[in-house]
Amino acid sequence: QKGTGKGAEPKDSGQAVTRPQTSAPAADAATATPAGVPGKSGDLADSTGKMPAGGIPPADAPPLEEVQALVDRGDYRSAFDAANRLIAKSPRNSEAYRLRANASRNLGDLNAALEDANRAVELDPSNCRALGARAIVKRLLKDPSGAMADINKALALNPLYHQGHDSRAQLL
């Protein structure tokens, strides 16, 4: 799972990544694995869209800029936790899922990263950065044709998306 470029290779924190309930589509429930199984895709306890325990989204959910800053600093555990709070508050926020995907990828949970990147693209199919994040995960999961398809979609939406050009070069 070697990658090139900043943040392309997942880091192993030695800790399991736990994910709160989200408003994933009900169709995902049939393919979900049991909650708490580290490194498994779909480890959501319930994908019915119910709010986390207590039924109240966290008031301390950070803005996207703060979560992005944590990712940029390489504080992936804090970024993951902050993205969880943001998703609990705004479960239809494509960028929050993209940022949690980036954090999960760098924490070494590629299946969780792919799940979140898929959700980000589902929520906003024109989100170039979500397509780019999913392409990186697909490349790391040894799916170069899927990665290239996502990069091509991102570049068709925004030809100036420089990270898309960088990802395409890594795939060629």
Side-chain angles (χ1 to χ4, degrees):
Q1 294 182 354
K2 291 198 177 210
T4 57
K6 181 178 175 187
E9 186 170 344
K11 310 288 188 284
D12 183 5
S13 69
Q15 296 179 352
V17 176
T18 56
R19 301 160 61 75
Q21 294 175 317
T22 63
S23 62
D28 290 344
T31 60
T33 57
V37 178
K40 297 288 185 183
S41 178
D43 60 347
L44 303 174
D46 182 1
S47 59
T48 63
K50 294 180 183 174
M51 293 302 289
I56 302 171
D60 66 336
L64 283 169
E65 296 79 16
E66 287 181 25
V67 182
Q68 182 66 60
L70 291 167
V71 170
D72 292 344
R73 281 199 314 260
D75 188 354
Y76 304 118
R77 171 51 59 191
S78 295
F80 180 86
D81 293 340
N84 279 342
R85 292 192 310 274
L86 186 55
I87 288 168
K89 184 176 181 180
S90 302
R92 298 199 49 81
N93 186 323
S94 175
E95 279 294 289
Y97 282 95
R98 178 190 66 82
L99 289 168
R100 189 168 75 177
N102 286 345
S104 292
R105 173 177 50 87
N106 283 288
L107 289 169
D109 190 344
L110 296 179
N111 291 324
L114 182 60
E115 181 180 308
D116 279 343
N118 284 338
R119 182 70 173 140
V121 172
E122 175 186 314
L123 289 169
D124 183 1
S126 66
N127 185 334
C128 296
R129 291 166 50 131
L131 286 161
R134 187 168 73 177
I136 291 170
V137 175
K138 285 181 177 181
R139 180 177 53 83
L140 292 170
L141 288 170
K142 310 286 188 237
D143 179 9
S145 62
M148 186 62 83
D150 281 345
I151 291 302
N152 288 338
K153 285 179 197 172
L155 290 172
L157 290 165
N158 181 0
L160 301 177
Y161 177 53
H162 70 88
Q163 292 165 329
H165 291 286
D166 294 344
S167 291
R168 178 184 276 167
Q170 291 176 356
L171 287 166
L172 296 177

PDB file of all heavy atoms in Angstrom, residues 43-68:
ATOM      1  N   ASP A  43     -18.889  -0.688   9.288  1.00  0.00           N
ATOM      2  CA  ASP A  43     -18.979  -1.045  10.695  1.00  0.00           C
ATOM      3  C   ASP A  43     -19.908  -0.107  11.458  1.00  0.00           C
ATOM      4  O   ASP A  43     -19.702   0.156  12.616  1.00  0.00           O
ATOM      5  CB  ASP A  43     -17.596  -1.112  11.344  1.00  0.00           C
ATOM      6  CG  ASP A  43     -16.834   0.194  11.280  1.00  0.00           C
ATOM      7  OD1 ASP A  43     -17.239   1.088  10.539  1.00  0.00           O
ATOM      8  OD2 ASP A  43     -15.818   0.310  11.969  1.00  0.00           O
ATOM      9  N   LEU A  44     -20.948   0.369  10.792  1.00  0.00           N
ATOM     10  CA  LEU A  44     -21.927   1.209  11.443  1.00  0.00           C
ATOM     11  C   LEU A  44     -22.887   0.322  12.216  1.00  0.00           C
ATOM     12  O   LEU A  44     -23.370  -0.672  11.707  1.00  0.00           O
ATOM     13  CB  LEU A  44     -22.707   2.025  10.412  1.00  0.00           C
ATOM     14  CG  LEU A  44     -21.873   2.917   9.502  1.00  0.00           C
ATOM     15  CD1 LEU A  44     -22.749   3.552   8.457  1.00  0.00           C
ATOM     16  CD2 LEU A  44     -21.168   3.969  10.316  1.00  0.00           C
ATOM     17  N   ALA A  45     -23.196   0.706  13.438  1.00  0.00           N
ATOM     18  CA  ALA A  45     -24.104  -0.087  14.254  1.00  0.00           C
ATOM     19  C   ALA A  45     -25.501  -0.085  13.650  1.00  0.00           C
ATOM     20  O   ALA A  45     -26.208  -1.073  13.720  1.00  0.00           O
ATOM     21  CB  ALA A  45     -24.133   0.461  15.677  1.00  0.00           C
ATOM     22  N   ASP A  46     -25.905   1.010  13.054  1.00  0.00           N
ATOM     23  CA  ASP A  46     -27.247   1.136  12.515  1.00  0.00           C
ATOM     24  C   ASP A  46     -27.199   2.166  11.401  1.00  0.00           C
ATOM     25  O   ASP A  46     -26.705   3.260  11.595  1.00  0.00           O
ATOM     26  CB  ASP A  46     -28.183   1.594  13.633  1.00  0.00           C
ATOM     27  CG  ASP A  46     -29.633   1.711  13.183  1.00  0.00           C
ATOM     28  OD1 ASP A  46     -29.920   1.428  12.011  1.00  0.00           O
ATOM     29  OD2 ASP A  46     -30.456   2.089  14.022  1.00  0.00           O
ATOM     30  N   SER A  47     -27.667   1.809  10.236  1.00  0.00           N
ATOM     31  CA  SER A  47     -27.610   2.761   9.132  1.00  0.00           C
ATOM     32  C   SER A  47     -28.999   3.277   8.786  1.00  0.00           C
ATOM     33  O   SER A  47     -29.310   3.520   7.642  1.00  0.00           O
ATOM     34  CB  SER A  47     -26.950   2.119   7.912  1.00  0.00           C
ATOM     35  OG  SER A  47     -27.672   0.986   7.522  1.00  0.00           O
ATOM     36  N   THR A  48     -29.847   3.436   9.793  1.00  0.00           N
ATOM     37  CA  THR A  48     -31.195   3.937   9.564  1.00  0.00           C
ATOM     38  C   THR A  48     -31.259   5.451   9.568  1.00  0.00           C
ATOM     39  O   THR A  48     -32.305   6.013   9.306  1.00  0.00           O
ATOM     40  CB  THR A  48     -32.163   3.388  10.627  1.00  0.00           C
ATOM     41  OG1 THR A  48     -31.756   3.873  11.899  1.00  0.00           O
ATOM     42  CG2 THR A  48     -32.208   1.875  10.602  1.00  0.00           C
ATOM     43  N   GLY A  49     -30.163   6.103   9.914  1.00  0.00           N
ATOM     44  CA  GLY A  49     -30.149   7.551   9.939  1.00  0.00           C
ATOM     45  C   GLY A  49     -30.496   8.127  11.296  1.00  0.00           C
ATOM     46  O   GLY A  49     -30.689   9.323  11.423  1.00  0.00           O
ATOM     47  N   LYS A  50     -30.599   7.304  12.317  1.00  0.00           N
ATOM     48  CA  LYS A  50     -30.901   7.795  13.660  1.00  0.00           C
ATOM     49  C   LYS A  50     -29.722   8.607  14.184  1.00  0.00           C
ATOM     50  O   LYS A  50     -28.582   8.347  13.855  1.00  0.00           O
ATOM     51  CB  LYS A  50     -31.188   6.629  14.604  1.00  0.00           C
ATOM     52  CG  LYS A  50     -32.444   5.878  14.240  1.00  0.00           C
ATOM     53  CD  LYS A  50     -32.676   4.740  15.208  1.00  0.00           C
ATOM     54  CE  LYS A  50     -33.894   3.947  14.799  1.00  0.00           C
ATOM     55  NZ  LYS A  50     -34.068   2.762  15.610  1.00  0.00           N
ATOM     56  N   MET A  51     -30.028   9.553  15.041  1.00  0.00           N
ATOM     57  CA  MET A  51     -28.991  10.379  15.655  1.00  0.00           C
ATOM     58  C   MET A  51     -28.171   9.543  16.627  1.00  0.00           C
ATOM     59  O   MET A  51     -28.643   8.524  17.113  1.00  0.00           O
ATOM     60  CB  MET A  51     -29.627  11.550  16.411  1.00  0.00           C
ATOM     61  CG  MET A  51     -30.321  12.555  15.506  1.00  0.00           C
ATOM     62  SD  MET A  51     -29.238  13.281  14.280  1.00  0.00           S
ATOM     63  CE  MET A  51     -28.246  14.315  15.321  1.00  0.00           C
ATOM     64  N   PRO A  52     -26.953   9.985  16.955  1.00  0.00           N
ATOM     65  CA  PRO A  52     -26.141   9.281  17.942  1.00  0.00           C
ATOM     66  C   PRO A  52     -26.850   9.222  19.291  1.00  0.00           C
ATOM     67  O   PRO A  52     -27.839   9.906  19.517  1.00  0.00           O
ATOM     68  CB  PRO A  52     -24.870  10.130  18.036  1.00  0.00           C
ATOM     69  CG  PRO A  52     -24.844  10.908  16.767  1.00  0.00           C
ATOM     70  CD  PRO A  52     -26.276  11.112  16.366  1.00  0.00           C
ATOM     71  N   ALA A  53     -26.304   8.420  20.191  1.00  0.00           N
ATOM     72  CA  ALA A  53     -26.886   8.228  21.520  1.00  0.00           C
ATOM     73  C   ALA A  53     -27.306   9.562  22.124  1.00  0.00           C
ATOM     74  O   ALA A  53     -26.576  10.536  22.079  1.00  0.00           O
ATOM     75  CB  ALA A  53     -25.888   7.529  22.430  1.00  0.00           C
ATOM     76  N   GLY A  54     -28.477   9.588  22.696  1.00  0.00           N
ATOM     77  CA  GLY A  54     -28.991  10.811  23.282  1.00  0.00           C
ATOM     78  C   GLY A  54     -29.863  11.598  22.325  1.00  0.00           C
ATOM     79  O   GLY A  54     -30.616  12.456  22.728  1.00  0.00           O
ATOM     80  N   GLY A  55     -29.746  11.336  21.017  1.00  0.00           N
ATOM     81  CA  GLY A  55     -30.582  11.971  20.029  1.00  0.00           C
ATOM     82  C   GLY A  55     -30.267  13.431  19.740  1.00  0.00           C
ATOM     83  O   GLY A  55     -30.969  14.080  19.010  1.00  0.00           O
ATOM     84  N   ILE A  56     -29.204  13.959  20.319  1.00  0.00           N
ATOM     85  CA  ILE A  56     -28.862  15.366  20.118  1.00  0.00           C
ATOM     86  C   ILE A  56     -27.480  15.459  19.478  1.00  0.00           C
ATOM     87  O   ILE A  56     -26.526  14.906  19.992  1.00  0.00           O
ATOM     88  CB  ILE A  56     -28.855  16.127  21.461  1.00  0.00           C
ATOM     89  CG1 ILE A  56     -30.233  16.009  22.126  1.00  0.00           C
ATOM     90  CG2 ILE A  56     -28.453  17.579  21.267  1.00  0.00           C
ATOM     91  CD1 ILE A  56     -30.272  16.535  23.532  1.00  0.00           C
ATOM     92  N   PRO A  57     -27.382  16.128  18.325  1.00  0.00           N
ATOM     93  CA  PRO A  57     -26.061  16.271  17.724  1.00  0.00           C
ATOM     94  C   PRO A  57     -25.165  17.114  18.619  1.00  0.00           C
ATOM     95  O   PRO A  57     -25.647  17.982  19.343  1.00  0.00           O
ATOM     96  CB  PRO A  57     -26.334  16.966  16.391  1.00  0.00           C
ATOM     97  CG  PRO A  57     -27.681  17.547  16.500  1.00  0.00           C
ATOM     98  CD  PRO A  57     -28.427  16.787  17.561  1.00  0.00           C
ATOM     99  N   PRO A  58     -23.870  16.859  18.587  1.00  0.00           N
ATOM    100  CA  PRO A  58     -22.956  17.607  19.451  1.00  0.00           C
ATOM    101  C   PRO A  58     -22.927  19.084  19.098  1.00  0.00           C
ATOM    102  O   PRO A  58     -22.856  19.446  17.931  1.00  0.00           O
ATOM    103  CB  PRO A  58     -21.602  16.950  19.208  1.00  0.00           C
ATOM    104  CG  PRO A  58     -21.743  16.223  17.924  1.00  0.00           C
ATOM    105  CD  PRO A  58     -23.193  15.899  17.748  1.00  0.00           C
ATOM    106  N   ALA A  59     -22.992  19.909  20.122  1.00  0.00           N
ATOM    107  CA  ALA A  59     -22.954  21.359  19.914  1.00  0.00           C
ATOM    108  C   ALA A  59     -21.542  21.820  19.591  1.00  0.00           C
ATOM    109  O   ALA A  59     -21.354  22.907  19.052  1.00  0.00           O
ATOM    110  CB  ALA A  59     -23.463  22.072  21.161  1.00  0.00           C
ATOM    111  N   ASP A  60     -20.546  21.006  19.916  1.00  0.00           N
ATOM    112  CA  ASP A  60     -19.155  21.413  19.729  1.00  0.00           C
ATOM    113  C   ASP A  60     -18.597  21.006  18.369  1.00  0.00           C
ATOM    114  O   ASP A  60     -17.394  20.936  18.190  1.00  0.00           O
ATOM    115  CB  ASP A  60     -18.281  20.851  20.851  1.00  0.00           C
ATOM    116  CG  ASP A  60     -18.179  19.334  20.814  1.00  0.00           C
ATOM    117  OD1 ASP A  60     -19.089  18.674  20.266  1.00  0.00           O
ATOM    118  OD2 ASP A  60     -17.182  18.813  21.342  1.00  0.00           O
ATOM    119  N   ALA A  61     -19.474  20.731  17.416  1.00  0.00           N
ATOM    120  CA  ALA A  61     -19.003  20.349  16.087  1.00  0.00           C
ATOM    121  C   ALA A  61     -18.201  21.495  15.487  1.00  0.00           C
ATOM    122  O   ALA A  61     -18.684  22.628  15.434  1.00  0.00           O
ATOM    123  CB  ALA A  61     -20.169  19.984  15.185  1.00  0.00           C
ATOM    124  N   PRO A  62     -16.976  21.229  15.050  1.00  0.00           N
ATOM    125  CA  PRO A  62     -16.128  22.297  14.506  1.00  0.00           C
ATOM    126  C   PRO A  62     -16.515  22.644  13.075  1.00  0.00           C
ATOM    127  O   PRO A  62     -17.136  21.844  12.379  1.00  0.00           O
ATOM    128  CB  PRO A  62     -14.745  21.660  14.536  1.00  0.00           C
ATOM    129  CG  PRO A  62     -15.022  20.211  14.330  1.00  0.00           C
ATOM    130  CD  PRO A  62     -16.326  19.939  15.046  1.00  0.00           C
ATOM    131  N   PRO A  63     -16.137  23.828  12.631  1.00  0.00           N
ATOM    132  CA  PRO A  63     -16.355  24.152  11.220  1.00  0.00           C
ATOM    133  C   PRO A  63     -15.411  23.329  10.338  1.00  0.00           C
ATOM    134  O   PRO A  63     -14.386  22.816  10.803  1.00  0.00           O
ATOM    135  CB  PRO A  63     -16.044  25.643  11.140  1.00  0.00           C
ATOM    136  CG  PRO A  63     -15.230  25.956  12.344  1.00  0.00           C
ATOM    137  CD  PRO A  63     -15.562  24.926  13.383  1.00  0.00           C
ATOM    138  N   LEU A  64     -15.773  23.215   9.081  1.00  0.00           N
ATOM    139  CA  LEU A  64     -14.961  22.454   8.126  1.00  0.00           C
ATOM    140  C   LEU A  64     -13.511  22.910   8.108  1.00  0.00           C
ATOM    141  O   LEU A  64     -12.602  22.082   8.008  1.00  0.00           O
ATOM    142  CB  LEU A  64     -15.538  22.585   6.715  1.00  0.00           C
ATOM    143  CG  LEU A  64     -16.767  21.756   6.403  1.00  0.00           C
ATOM    144  CD1 LEU A  64     -17.377  22.194   5.083  1.00  0.00           C
ATOM    145  CD2 LEU A  64     -16.419  20.279   6.372  1.00  0.00           C
ATOM    146  N   GLU A  65     -13.290  24.202   8.202  1.00  0.00           N
ATOM    147  CA  GLU A  65     -11.927  24.730   8.126  1.00  0.00           C
ATOM    148  C   GLU A  65     -11.040  24.172   9.232  1.00  0.00           C
ATOM    149  O   GLU A  65      -9.862  23.909   9.021  1.00  0.00           O
ATOM    150  CB  GLU A  65     -11.937  26.268   8.189  1.00  0.00           C
ATOM    151  CG  GLU A  65     -12.626  26.937   7.027  1.00  0.00           C
ATOM    152  CD  GLU A  65     -14.160  26.933   7.130  1.00  0.00           C
ATOM    153  OE1 GLU A  65     -14.698  26.688   8.240  1.00  0.00           O
ATOM    154  OE2 GLU A  65     -14.810  27.161   6.104  1.00  0.00           O
ATOM    155  N   GLU A  66     -11.618  23.988  10.421  1.00  0.00           N
ATOM    156  CA  GLU A  66     -10.835  23.443  11.536  1.00  0.00           C
ATOM    157  C   GLU A  66     -10.496  21.976  11.308  1.00  0.00           C
ATOM    158  O   GLU A  66      -9.387  21.533  11.612  1.00  0.00           O
ATOM    159  CB  GLU A  66     -11.584  23.618  12.860  1.00  0.00           C
ATOM    160  CG  GLU A  66     -11.614  25.045  13.343  1.00  0.00           C
ATOM    161  CD  GLU A  66     -12.336  25.201  14.671  1.00  0.00           C
ATOM    162  OE1 GLU A  66     -12.400  24.231  15.452  1.00  0.00           O
ATOM    163  OE2 GLU A  66     -12.835  26.311  14.922  1.00  0.00           O
ATOM    164  N   VAL A  67     -11.451  21.221  10.758  1.00  0.00           N
ATOM    165  CA  VAL A  67     -11.186  19.807  10.473  1.00  0.00           C
ATOM    166  C   VAL A  67     -10.110  19.712   9.392  1.00  0.00           C
ATOM    167  O   VAL A  67      -9.173  18.915   9.503  1.00  0.00           O
ATOM    168  CB  VAL A  67     -12.470  19.066  10.044  1.00  0.00           C
ATOM    169  CG1 VAL A  67     -12.180  17.594   9.790  1.00  0.00           C
ATOM    170  CG2 VAL A  67     -13.566  19.215  11.098  1.00  0.00           C
ATOM    171  N   GLN A  68     -10.209  20.552   8.358  1.00  0.00           N
ATOM    172  CA  GLN A  68      -9.201  20.553   7.291  1.00  0.00           C
ATOM    173  C   GLN A  68      -7.827  20.894   7.851  1.00  0.00           C
ATOM    174  O   GLN A  68      -6.828  20.291   7.471  1.00  0.00           O
ATOM    175  CB  GLN A  68      -9.583  21.545   6.187  1.00  0.00           C
ATOM    176  CG  GLN A  68      -8.606  21.562   5.024  1.00  0.00           C
ATOM    177  CD  GLN A  68      -8.606  20.260   4.246  1.00  0.00           C
ATOM    178  OE1 GLN A  68      -9.627  19.867   3.706  1.00  0.00           O
ATOM    179  NE2 GLN A  68      -7.471  19.587   4.166  1.00  0.00           N
TER     180      GLN A  68
END
